Amino acid sequence: MGASTLTIHLINKFVYFSSTLDNLLSNPSGSYYEWKFGKIYYTKIGEGKPILLIHDLTTYSSAHEWHLIKEKLAKTNTVYSIDLIGCGRSDKPNMIYTNYLYVQLVSDFIKHVIGEKTDVIATGESSSFVIATCQNDSSIIDQIVMINPSDIRQLNKTPSKRTKTLTHIINLPIFGTFLYNLLTRREKIAQIYKNEYFYDASLVTDNMINTYYETAHSGNASSKYLFSSKSGRYTTINIKHCLKSLNNSIFIIAGSAIDNIDERLDLYKEILPSIEIEKIDNCRHLPQMERPEKLLDLLYTLLI
């Protein structure tokens, strides 16, 4: 048993070393916001009305998600992009990550770093806590753009006995880390890119996959804590009441090639009929990386 544990521990160390060897996340131009739960990495470029870019809430994601569009947005706006706590170059404390944790982060970052009312563009599940942040304090957020927001029905799911057990298992020091490494191996990330993130798999590059793979393992075993919280459904929230109470301009940009996307969008429209929806053809979850020029055209039309 001791020999097996030692072997698995060495495998975990090798995965961490090999996945971060290229140091693809290095970015000396960034800064850190000393938040109460850890240091938050962010960048700031440009001048004008502020825009906050928030990447998807996955252990693979970081502000790298926006690298093809943020400099062009900065020609007309002050553009902030952050690595959420538990992701990328930000701290990854050993804790349960909840939707309200990210509500606090977005609220505090806008108040203490940006310092004025801002537009927010968010991807995937991160859209849910942006909506909740705005509902909690509408004075800090102006317009909201949600890129392929999560299915409302999935966001309604709450932790169960089974999902709580899974969280506990992944959080185990050695064997849990080994399980996490299996679930976030490079081949799995490549599969996600080609089947979920991009419509045209030929556009997926090794650099994209390697960057996401490094992100999922940066910080050694600490990268797994957000993953375990998401597996346990601790990051979900019922956003119906949040949406109903908002008077902000809210837009959804969706990839037309996502399965059941019309059904997902109809649920948002039923709750808040004023939501404006635009689709990008031949695109899936990450238009900012697959079709950046088309996304920029829509953002200029919607926000400027």
Side-chain angles (χ1 to χ4, degrees):
M1 185 65 177
S4 298
T5 301
L6 177 60
T7 300
I8 292 174
H9 174 69
L10 292 175
I11 292 173
N12 290 337
K13 289 295 183 183
F14 174 76
V15 169
Y16 167 66
F17 175 77
S18 61
S19 63
T20 58
L21 189 62
D22 293 333
N23 198 24
L24 297 171
L25 289 179
S26 61
N27 189 340
S29 65
S31 304
Y32 282 92
Y33 165 46
E34 297 285 345
W35 193 44
K36 55 189 174 184
F37 292 112
K39 294 191 298 182
I40 306 301
Y41 176 88
Y42 73 96
T43 62
K44 174 188 176 182
I45 56 175
E47 293 183 357
K49 183 181 180 182
I51 294 177
L52 174 59
L53 304 177
I54 303 179
H55 61 78
D56 199 1
L57 187 62
T58 76
T59 193
Y60 320 112
S61 302
S62 69
H64 174 78
E65 182 180 300
W66 306 103
H67 75 284
L68 294 177
I69 72 167
K70 69 177 185 179
E71 290 187 2
K72 294 180 180 179
L73 285 174
K75 293 179 179 179
T76 55
N77 297 80
T78 304
V79 179
Y80 295 83
S81 60
I82 66 173
D83 285 356
L84 296 170
I85 191 166
C87 302
R89 291 146 288 199
S90 293
D91 283 349
K92 304 172 177 66
N94 182 354
M95 60 190 295
I96 296 295
Y97 292 78
T98 65
N99 193 283
Y100 186 63
L101 174 74
Y102 291 103
V103 170
Q104 293 178 75
L105 172 57
V106 173
S107 179
D108 289 345
F109 186 84
I110 293 175
K111 290 177 180 178
H112 301 150
V113 179
I114 299 177
E116 59 182 302
K117 199 168 189 176
T118 183
D119 294 336
V120 180
I121 305 172
T123 305
E125 189 175 339
S126 295
S127 300
S128 66
F129 59 75
V130 171
I131 293 295
T133 302
C134 190
Q135 192 268 342
N136 187 58
D137 186 355
S138 61
S139 68
I140 61 175
I141 294 178
D142 190 6
Q143 302 177 99
I144 299 172
V145 178
M146 301 186 288
I147 298 176
N148 293 312
S150 296
D151 192 318
I152 289 176
R153 293 164 296 189
Q154 295 297 319
L155 290 173
N156 286 344
K157 293 183 177 180
T158 57
S160 65
K161 185 176 181 179
R162 182 183 64 82
T163 63
K164 290 178 181 178
T165 300
L166 181 58
T167 296
H168 176 71
I169 291 172
I170 296 173
N171 283 341
L172 291 174
I174 296 176
F175 292 95
T177 302
F178 181 69
L179 175 59
Y180 171 75
N181 288 336
L182 287 176
L183 295 173
T184 58
R185 61 192 184 278
R186 189 183 185 281
E187 295 78 12
K188 177 66 174 178
I189 294 172
Q191 184 181 39
I192 291 173
Y193 251 107
K194 294 175 181 179
N195 296 336
E196 299 177 24
Y197 286 174
F198 274 44
Y199 172 76
D200 185 352
S202 67
L203 298 177
V204 178
T205 66
D206 286 341
N207 182 262
M208 293 176 184
I209 297 170
N210 291 338
T211 301
Y212 269 51
Y213 181 54
E214 179 178 318
T215 304
H217 297 280
S218 63
N220 206 350
S222 60
S223 303
K224 70 182 181 180
Y225 298 122
L226 171 59
F227 187 91
S228 70
S229 295
K230 282 178 58 65
S231 300
R233 298 178 185 164
Y234 289 99
T235 60
T236 59
I237 183 176
N238 186 336
I239 65 169
K240 290 183 179 180
H241 70 284
C242 299
L243 278 172
K244 289 179 179 178
S245 65
L246 297 184
N247 294 315
N248 304 65
S249 295
I250 301 177
F251 312 97
I252 293 178
I253 297 176
S256 65
I258 296 175
D259 293 340
N260 302 317
I261 187 61
D262 289 330
E263 185 178 354
R264 185 192 305 184
L265 297 175
D266 287 344
L267 291 174
Y268 281 90
K269 198 73 173 177
E270 287 175 9
I271 297 170
L272 189 64
S274 63
I275 287 180
E276 296 184 39
I277 298 174
E278 298 286 348
K279 291 183 185 177
I280 298 179
D281 292 334
N282 301 323
C283 183
R284 285 197 176 129
H285 190 64
L286 293 178
Q288 57 268 56
M289 296 180 71
E290 184 173 16
R291 301 200 63 190
E293 294 300 330
K294 179 60 177 177
L295 177 62
L296 281 167
D297 288 344
L298 286 175
L299 292 176
Y300 285 134
T301 300
L302 298 174
L303 297 180
I304 299 175

